[in-house]
Amino acid sequence: MALYLSPLELTARLHLGKEVHQWLGYFAEDDYIVLRWLYIAKNKQQYTVCYVESFDEGDEEWTDVTEFSHLDPDEAIEHSFASVEEAVEFAIQTYAGSREGFIPGGLLHAEYLAYWRSKNGPK
């Protein structure tokens, strides 16, 4: 199985109610690093795009980005849409995502680990 979803796989997964994620990178502040990522999930008949900024608290052993502290835990940035196509297009246009950059939910840790190793090298 490839890490990245084809457009057909992306659409099928979302129609089946399975979450998809996308790593959007990071930016550095004076004394910390902020990770950027998003996910799309189906909630009843709506598709919700959620944008997240979290602190880089991980290392080679702890890679579950979804468990890292959010930059602003009170500010959930969510937008709902009636169709998969609208949600995906919004994510791409608004957050500079990539149509080819979506991965199955639960695999964001692999993207984080690649980022972490690019900065720190493998142990």
Side-chain angles (χ1 to χ4, degrees):
M1 177 181 106
L3 180 64
Y4 296 102
L5 298 171
S6 72
L8 286 174
E9 291 170 323
L10 171 62
T11 300
R13 288 185 71 82
L14 287 168
H15 279 293
L16 291 171
K18 297 182 180 192
E19 200 169 279
V20 298
H21 293 167
Q22 186 164 143
W23 172 263
L24 298 172
Y26 68 96
F27 62 90
E29 291 291 340
D30 291 335
D31 54 350
Y32 58 91
I33 294 175
V34 176
L35 307 176
R36 300 174 54 245
W37 54 281
L38 64 81
Y39 65 91
I40 303 176
K42 184 176 182 181
N43 185 8
K44 298 184 183 175
Q45 294 305 314
Q46 294 283 308
Y47 298 90
T48 303
V49 176
C50 299
Y51 172 77
V52 181
E53 291 182 343
S54 59
F55 291 102
D56 183 358
E57 300 172 321
D59 57 31
E60 194 168 37
E61 300 298 319
W62 188 34
T63 60
D64 189 356
V65 177
T66 63
E67 294 295 320
F68 295 176
S69 301
H70 290 194
L71 192 61
D72 184 351
D74 296 327
E75 183 182 322
I77 302 175
E78 297 182 355
H79 302 274
S80 294
F81 301 90
S83 74
V84 168
E85 295 77 17
E86 289 174 305
V88 170
E89 194 60 34
F90 177 84
I92 292 167
Q93 294 298 318
T94 305
Y95 300 114
S98 166
R99 195 170 311 283
E100 295 80 28
F102 288 97
I103 56 176
L107 294 182
L108 194 60
H109 69 279
E111 295 280 75
Y112 176 78
L113 187 57
Y115 147 79
W116 192 90
R117 286 182 174 161
S118 74
K119 293 185 70 170
N120 301 291
K123 286 190 176 180

